[in-house]
Amino acid sequence: MHTSDILLTHNIRPSIHRILIYQYLINNKNHPTADTVYTNLHPQLPTLSKTTVYNILSLFVDKKLIQELPLENGELRYDADTSEHAHFKCEKCGKVHDIFVKIGLPQIPNDFTISRSQLFLWGKCPDCD
């Protein structure tokens, strides 16, 4: 499926900015911040502003096209993989990795409804040991 078709299936009107940002997220599994997206795309798209990047990422999150990863100290990262998985942040190099494991949910009282969940792990990655 083409990027523009994926955007349309999420009720997002395709534009060059939206297409390039989504393609960046799909092709770079680095869980970037909005600033990282801007820094990497601005050279090929000089009309791109940081505000546009923030607005597009917010739209993608609202439309459930991507997920927002709220890490410590207000740091927000973005992930185009919306499947259920955990994230591991290396405390030394700062990279965020996907961790695909079956994780059981805690005992939830009957009157609670879960709409989504996220699990974050911190430590050292193999590159930093």
Side-chain angles (χ1 to χ4, degrees):
M1 187 178 281
H2 290 92
T3 303
S4 57
D5 294 329
I6 294 169
L7 294 176
L8 287 169
T9 63
H10 285 84
N11 295 317
I12 299 170
R13 187 182 52 79
S15 69
I16 191 65
H17 294 97
R18 291 172 178 171
I19 289 169
L20 289 177
I21 289 173
Y22 186 64
Q23 286 176 340
Y24 178 83
L25 293 172
I26 290 293
N27 294 326
N28 297 277
K29 306 290 185 192
N30 58 353
H31 303 86
T33 63
D35 285 342
T36 303
V37 173
Y38 171 78
T39 299
N40 284 283
L41 291 180
H42 186 258
Q44 81 181 72
L45 195 60
T47 59
L48 186 65
S49 70
K50 282 188 180 183
T51 301
T52 299
V53 171
Y54 280 99
N55 289 340
I56 289 172
L57 291 171
S58 179
L59 172 67
F60 287 176
V61 169
D62 289 345
K63 297 291 187 171
K64 300 188 181 354
L65 178 62
I66 64 172
Q67 59 178 316
E68 186 175 66
L69 310 176
L71 298 175
E72 68 273 353
N73 302 322
E75 176 186 22
L76 292 176
R77 302 278 192 110
Y78 297 91
D79 190 354
D81 184 348
T82 59
S83 69
E84 288 290 325
H85 63 280
H87 292 94
F88 176 93
K89 182 175 182 184
C90 180
E91 294 172 317
K92 187 170 182 183
C93 69
K95 291 181 183 174
V96 178
H97 303 268
D98 290 327
I99 306 292
F100 293 95
V101 293
K102 291 238 178 217
I103 301 170
L105 290 174
Q107 188 73 352
I108 306 296
N110 290 337
D111 54 344
F112 285 80
T113 302
I114 298 172
S115 61
R116 66 186 185 102
S117 66
Q118 290 185 344
L119 175 65
F120 297 97
L121 307 164
W122 287 264
K124 274 194 206 169
C125 70
D127 294 337
C128 292
D129 267 343

